[in-house]
Amino acid sequence: MLIVDDEPLARDHIADRLGHEENVEIVGTAEDGDEAIEAIRNLHPDLVFLDVQMPGKTGIEVADTLGDEMPATIFTTAFDQYALKAFEVAAVDYLVKPFDDERFAEAFRRARKSIEGEWRLSRLDENKSPWVQRIPVEMRGQTRFVAVDKIDYITASGPYAELHVGDRTFAV
């Protein structure tokens, strides 16, 4: 984890809360946007707690500058008006200061889940598609599988989807 905030008390507050979480390593801290960019590029953190309002580059500008290099990010700020832009650039969550332990834990759980999902996808065999290859359908009390590449088209039918394969239709 990397903690970026221009206020030392805010950095300490986040570090204290992370101290209650399992398997967490704080790899560094930064006080402004330029330091944040350098730290992210050098330390490669899985998660960044990033203040929006800082001297120099804002948290939003940091995320814009890094683009695809930007890791999962929880933006922290006293201002809620930046939330939409934060989610457009990199946010896993957005904490409005002052935030309580429960809200922090919720944001951290969401980030951890996102990171674990990305980690699993990155470990997939390169020859193996991360997409579903076949869809289970129930037919006369038995489960059968329909290969995705055999589906001609799918239509919506009330609460169901209908898979059309040749002259057959399967409800899912």
Side-chain angles (χ1 to χ4, degrees):
M1 311 292 147
L2 176 69
I3 303 170
V4 182
D5 200 302
D6 59 323
E7 299 174 22
L9 288 176
R11 291 192 306 271
D12 291 345
H13 186 65
I14 292 170
D16 287 345
R17 289 184 178 193
L18 288 172
H20 300 289
E21 299 292 337
E22 292 182 16
N23 301 319
V24 170
E25 178 185 359
I26 298 171
V27 297
T29 61
E31 296 179 16
D32 62 43
D34 292 324
E35 278 186 29
I37 291 168
E38 185 178 334
I40 291 166
R41 286 184 171 152
N42 292 330
L43 300 173
H44 307 287
D46 293 325
L47 177 63
V48 177
F49 285 86
L50 183 59
D51 188 16
V52 173
Q53 292 283 60
M54 296 181 292
K57 284 187 173 36
T58 67
I60 303 294
E61 291 169 332
V62 168
D64 279 337
T65 299
L66 290 171
D68 291 340
E69 292 178 80
M70 191 68 195
T73 305
I74 296 175
F75 283 92
T76 60
T77 185
F79 308 97
D80 62 0
Q81 70 260 30
Y82 302 106
L84 182 59
K85 183 62 178 166
F87 281 101
E88 288 175 359
V89 294
V92 172
D93 211 322
Y94 190 91
L95 293 173
V96 178
K97 298 173 187 176
F99 45 84
D100 60 25
D101 289 342
E102 186 177 318
R103 181 66 184 96
F104 180 87
E106 178 186 332
F108 186 72
R109 273 192 303 275
R110 182 175 290 128
R112 183 170 270 185
K113 193 174 187 178
S114 173
I115 292 164
E116 288 171 354
E118 289 173 18
W119 183 84
R120 284 189 191 101
L121 280 177
S122 70
R123 300 304 186 270
L124 287 173
D125 180 9
E126 289 180 10
N127 297 326
K128 194 173 178 182
S129 171
W131 308 110
V132 173
Q133 298 300 309
R134 52 193 196 140
I135 298 174
V137 295
E138 192 171 322
M139 204 166 102
R140 296 186 187 130
Q142 295 183 342
T143 301
R144 299 178 188 249
F145 293 91
V146 175
V148 170
D149 61 353
K150 301 290 184 199
I151 297 172
D152 296 317
Y153 61 97
I154 301 172
T155 57
S157 177
Y160 300 96
E162 292 181 342
L163 310 179
H164 299 272
V165 181
D167 61 347
R168 300 191 71 182
T169 301
F170 301 95
V172 179

